[in-house]
């Protein structure tokens, strides 16, 4: 960010009205209609935009000693940076405060009509109440310090100025003379297209050449009392340069013998940059005239511009090799990191299995001890129910803890890992980040140039809410599932129970309400709260086994079945409709897993006969195939496009990645067939394509699917639970 201060008129006649009109109004070049230039903010002590200049002029009239009451400065951002209103408003108010203008009258206008976003601030130097004029002392330094602070706070790119940001101390620090001298050397370097020439073509630009010794000699020449254009032409001729005047009054510097030229305002900034500097130089040199033969013959050329290499080829090759070695070392370190993550994941999986087994063993032992006690059966029922409920709570908490820990142990991607290393100060990681940024920026610039050059290009965008892709949404499902599981686990863990000593019934309170009643042979669920249903299902499964009979209203049974599927309760109902609901819900939860399996089946078919054509079962199978290759949304759209308005006997074919042909045919009887025809010699590539697509879907499905633990409900375990249940309730 930069904050240039605009100089007022030399005759002290700067006008509030003219400046306000310039900042706020513009005319449409086609219609001539007057329009507002951008967003505006008025100080609280101004009534309206229409009367702002009158109010400022009236206040300034109370202080006749202040000859020029108009103070005007800008705040500019780097090209590509687009602050929101809150950010640029904060920046403007901060600078007004630092300059001492918080209580003065001011107008802030945001302009977005150039490559760089910028705002203008017009201030009345005269205070509206005391009528004292305030002129900031060292305002250039005050503004530059504020820019560094705002860059740090809002995350903008740091600009070069009198201050720099000290990251260790967290403050803006003024540059020393040595640092400013180094910055002045940087200022002599090429910019814009000239900088691109030097960077990509390894050649010195004419801009950098003229900014060197010719610019210094011209400045010394202009310091003389008597100097004319002939002296300037003779001096430039010694460096193989000549100056020309343009039609609009500007000047250019050209290399003799070539068509390469630069603006004089870019290379001789002190003499020709800005109207005032150029006018002063023209006044000193007199009326313009072209170089004469005498000017060119004034002396031999001491230098000549040539596009010679600015770098040592050997050093450049050495640095390139060093960077490549650093990148390979970085990749090796990441491989070690990933190996360590996998080992920790395996160790944690073993630990979770061990803890789950211990919980099961503890439950078996507790049930055995209760059965061995000489107590009435109602008391045993109550103790068994309470023990099972405690086990369900512990198992649910273990499941949530395991899911959260697995998310932590997943490890970072390569990009995330490199960013972390760079933040820690690793130079190789920082260099890799710069390389990625340069590569991305070059691609963006190339694309921008292509789009800008195509004047007949049509740009389309969403007319309503924009949904990027199902893939993006699925990556967040596991985190949402973790949050939901944690909420249910907290509710279950807070469950309270009371025992009816006479009947042996156990009453469970969930969320402050009576939710479950365990009457020994039956468990009654009294509320539709999901946590209560999950608790009841898991207690029933631990007591009666995985085969459960559910009776009650159909709406309740449907909700219970959905809760079982969503919360990974591996249970089987005797009601066939409830089983269908569970299957349908599981298909929704793991649709990508099912699609991955179908893709693997197709892959196996291709692997057996790589060159043979084959038909897909139906339109859904075509969705699966194209969805795996191109993504769900695009794949479905491709199939629908080919399918639209398909006539009898018509065959539509499309080339898929130059690997196979996809045909859709409507036969004479109206049946639609979907055929996959591998190209000659492309069977292996098709097999790999299907394998990669299935792997991607399977990976996303694993992220989407809730942690289901072990499915270990085998027939032997079911029989053991049934036998234990019969013992508990005297049914042997």
């Amino acid at each position: 960010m930069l904050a240039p201060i605009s100089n007022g008129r030399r005759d002290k006649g700067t006008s509030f009205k003219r400046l306000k009109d310039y900042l706020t109004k513009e005319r449409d070049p086609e219609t001539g209609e007057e329009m507002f230039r951008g967003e505006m903010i008025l100080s609280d002590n101004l009534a309206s935009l229409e009367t702002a200049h009158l109010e400022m002029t009236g206040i300034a009239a109370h202080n006749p000693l202040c000859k020029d009451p108009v103070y005007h400065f800008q705040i500019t951002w780097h090209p590509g940076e687009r602050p929101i209103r809150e950010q640029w408003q904060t920046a403007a108010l901060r600078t007004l405060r630092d300059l001492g203008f918080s209580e003065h009258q001011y107008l802030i206008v945001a302009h977005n009509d150039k490559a760089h976003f910028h705002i203008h601030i017009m201030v009345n130097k005269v205070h509206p109440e005391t009528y004292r004029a305030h002129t900031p002392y060292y305002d250039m330094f005050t503004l530059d310090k504020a820019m560094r602070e705002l860059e740090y706070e809002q995350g903008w790119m740091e600009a070069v100025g009198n201050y720099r940001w000290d990251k260790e101390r967290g403050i803006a620090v003024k540059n020393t003379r040595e640092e400013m001298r180094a910055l002045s050397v940087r200022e002599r370097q090429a910019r814009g297209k000239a900088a691109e020439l030097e960077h990509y073509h390894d050649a010195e630009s004419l801009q950098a050449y003229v900014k060197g010794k010719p610019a210094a000699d011209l400045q010394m020449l202009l310091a003389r009392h008597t100097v004319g254009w002939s002296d300037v032409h003779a001096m430039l001729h010694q460096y193989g340069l000549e100056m020309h005047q343009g039609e609009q009054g500007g000047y250019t510097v050209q290399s003799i013998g070539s068509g390469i030229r630069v603006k004089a305002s870019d290379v001789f900034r002190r003499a020709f940059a800005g109207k005032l500097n150029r006018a002063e130089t023209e006044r000193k040199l007199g009326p313009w005239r072209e170089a004469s033969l005498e000017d060119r013959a004034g002396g031999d050329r001491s230098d000549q511009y040539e596009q010679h290499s600015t770098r040592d080829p050997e050093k450049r090759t050495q640095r390139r090799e060093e960077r490549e070695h650093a990148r390979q070392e970085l990749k090796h370190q990441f491989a070690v990191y990933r190996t360590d993550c996998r080992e920790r994941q395996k160790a944690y999986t073993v630990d979770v299995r061990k803890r789950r087994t211990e919980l099961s063993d503890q439950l078996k032992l507790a049930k055995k001890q209760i059965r061995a006690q000489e107590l009435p059966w109602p008391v045993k029922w109550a103790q068994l129910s309470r023990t099972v409920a405690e086990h369900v709570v512990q198992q649910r908490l273990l499941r949530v803890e395991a899911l959260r820990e697995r998310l932590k142990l997943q490890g970072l991607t390569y990009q995330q890992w490199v960013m972390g290393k760079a933040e820690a100060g690793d130079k190789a990681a920082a260099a890799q980040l710069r390389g990625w940024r340069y590569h991305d920026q070059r691609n963006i610039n190339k694309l921008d140039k292509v789009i800008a050059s195509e004047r007949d290009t049509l740009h389309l965008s969403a007319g309503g809410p924009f949904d990027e892709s199902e893939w993006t949404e699925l990556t967040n499902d596991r985190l949402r599932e973790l949050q939901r599981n944690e909420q249910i686990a907290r509710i279950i863990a807070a469950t309270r129970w009371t025992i009816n000593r006479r009947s042996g019934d156990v009453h469970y309170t969930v969320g402050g309400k009576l939710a479950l009643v365990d009457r020994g042979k039956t468990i009654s669920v009294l509320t539709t709260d999901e946590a209560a249903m999950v608790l009841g299902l898991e207690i029933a499964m631990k007591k009666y086994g995985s085969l459960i009979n559910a009776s009650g209203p159909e709406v309740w049974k449907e909700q219970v079945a959905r809760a079982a599927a969503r919360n990974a309760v591996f249970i089987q109902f005797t009601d066939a409709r409830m089983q269908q609901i569970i299957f349908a819900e599981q298909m929704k939860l793991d649709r990508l897993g099912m699609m991955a399996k179908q893709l693997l089946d197709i892959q196996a078919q291709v692997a057996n006969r790589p060159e043979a054509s084959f038909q897909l079962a139906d339109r859904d199978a075509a969705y699966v195939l194209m969805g795996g290759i191109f993504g769900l949304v695009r794949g479905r759209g491709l199939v629908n496009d080919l399918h639209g308005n398909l006539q009898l006997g018509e065959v539509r074919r499309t080339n898929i990645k130059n690997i196979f042909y996809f045909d859709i045919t409507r036969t004479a009887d109206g049946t639609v067939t979907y055929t996959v025809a591998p190209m000659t010699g492309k069977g292996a590539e098709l097999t790999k394509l299907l394998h990669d697509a299935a792997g991607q879907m399977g990976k996303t499905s694993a992220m989407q699917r809730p942690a289901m633990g072990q499915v270990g409900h085998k027939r032997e375990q079911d029989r053991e639970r049934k036998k234990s249940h019969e013992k508990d309730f005297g049914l042997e």
Side-chain angles (χ1 to χ4, degrees), residues 670-690:
T671 304
V672 179
T673 61
Y674 306 88
T675 306
V676 176
M679 297 181 182
T680 305
K682 298 289 186 176
E685 293 186 31
L686 178 57
T687 303
K688 183 179 183 304
L689 180 65
L690 295 172

Side-chain angles (χ1 to χ4, degrees), residues 370 373-387 498-508 518-521 543 727-730:
I370 292 173
Q373 294 178 7
E374 295 181 359
L375 296 172
W377 272 113
V379 177
K380 286 187 177 182
W381 291 344
Q383 291 185 359
L384 286 168
S385 180
R386 185 185 63 185
T387 302
T498 57
I499 302 175
N500 188 324
R501 297 297 179 184
R502 180 175 297 179
S503 63
D505 296 346
V506 183
H507 295 194
Y508 293 93
D518 185 352
R519 308 186 67 182
K521 295 182 181 180
K543 291 184 62 175
K727 285 183 180 180
D728 293 340
F729 298 101

Side-chain angles (χ1 to χ4, degrees), residues 264-427:
S265 58
D266 287 342
V267 291
F268 302 143
R269 296 191 59 81
R270 294 186 182 181
F272 293 96
K275 293 182 179 179
L276 295 178
N277 289 335
R278 189 172 64 188
E280 180 63 23
T281 302
E282 290 175 341
R283 184 191 64 78
K284 193 166 192 176
L285 296 177
W288 162 257
R289 69 174 184 82
E290 290 283 350
S292 63
L293 294 177
E294 291 78 8
D295 298 334
R296 296 189 178 100
D300 297 333
R301 296 183 189 175
S302 60
D303 200 357
Q304 175 71 40
Y305 167 69
E306 296 178 1
Q307 288 189 356
H308 58 272
S309 175
T310 58
R311 305 172 188 168
D312 187 343
E314 295 183 0
K315 289 184 178 180
R316 191 179 185 189
T317 302
Q318 181 182 356
R319 287 195 296 268
R320 185 183 293 112
E321 293 175 353
E322 291 174 353
R323 289 195 299 269
E324 179 62 26
H325 177 74
R327 283 194 292 267
Q328 294 301 328
E329 179 62 25
L330 206 61
K331 291 180 180 178
H332 174 71
Q333 295 177 14
F334 177 72
V336 173
Y337 162 77
R338 291 296 297 174
T339 301
D340 180 63
C341 288
R342 285 191 288 269
E343 293 299 328
R344 286 189 284 116
Q345 286 176 326
K346 292 179 182 178
Y348 185 73
T349 300
V350 172
D351 180 62
V352 171
R353 289 175 180 172
K354 181 180 178 182
R355 292 164 63 184
R356 189 181 291 114
T357 303
E358 290 176 353
L359 287 177
S360 299
D361 293 342
Q362 291 174 7
L363 178 62
K364 291 179 182 179
L365 179 61
K367 291 170 68 175
K368 184 176 181 180
Q369 291 174 349
I370 292 173
R371 288 196 298 267
Q373 294 178 7
E374 295 181 359
L375 296 172
W377 272 113
V379 177
K380 286 187 177 182
W381 291 344
Q383 291 185 359
L384 286 168
S385 180
R386 185 185 63 185
T387 302
V388 170
E390 291 175 347
H391 174 76
V392 169
V393 170
Q394 294 174 356
Q395 192 177 48
R396 174 63 61 174
L397 293 176
L398 175 60
R399 178 180 298 173
V400 173
E401 178 190 346
L403 179 57
R404 179 167 289 280
E405 191 63 27
R406 286 194 181 99
L407 285 175
K408 293 181 181 178
L409 295 176
Q410 273 186 346
L412 306 174
T413 64
Y414 185 53
Q415 288 79 5
Q416 294 170 338
W417 180 81
V418 170
M419 290 177 64
K421 295 278 288 183
E423 291 178 358
D426 189 289
K427 294 183 179 180

Side-chain angles (χ1 to χ4, degrees), residues 575-635:
D575 190 323
R577 184 171 179 275
M578 294 181 71
Q579 285 300 116
Q580 292 176 357
I581 293 173
I582 288 180
F583 178 76
E585 193 69 22
Q586 288 175 343
M587 284 288 290
K588 292 180 181 178
L589 293 173
D590 194 24
R591 54 177 177 164
L592 293 181
M594 299 296 294
M595 293 173 69
K597 183 178 182 304
Q598 295 178 39
L599 285 174
L600 290 175
D601 293 341
I602 298 175
Q603 178 203 355
Q605 183 177 355
V606 174
N608 291 333
R609 301 180 63 190
E611 306 295 335
S613 301
F614 60 91
Q615 289 187 353
L616 301 175
D618 50 24
R619 191 169 183 174
D620 289 336
Y623 286 154
V624 170
L625 176 63
M626 295 303 166
I629 296 174
F630 297 107
L632 301 182
V633 176
R634 184 182 173 192

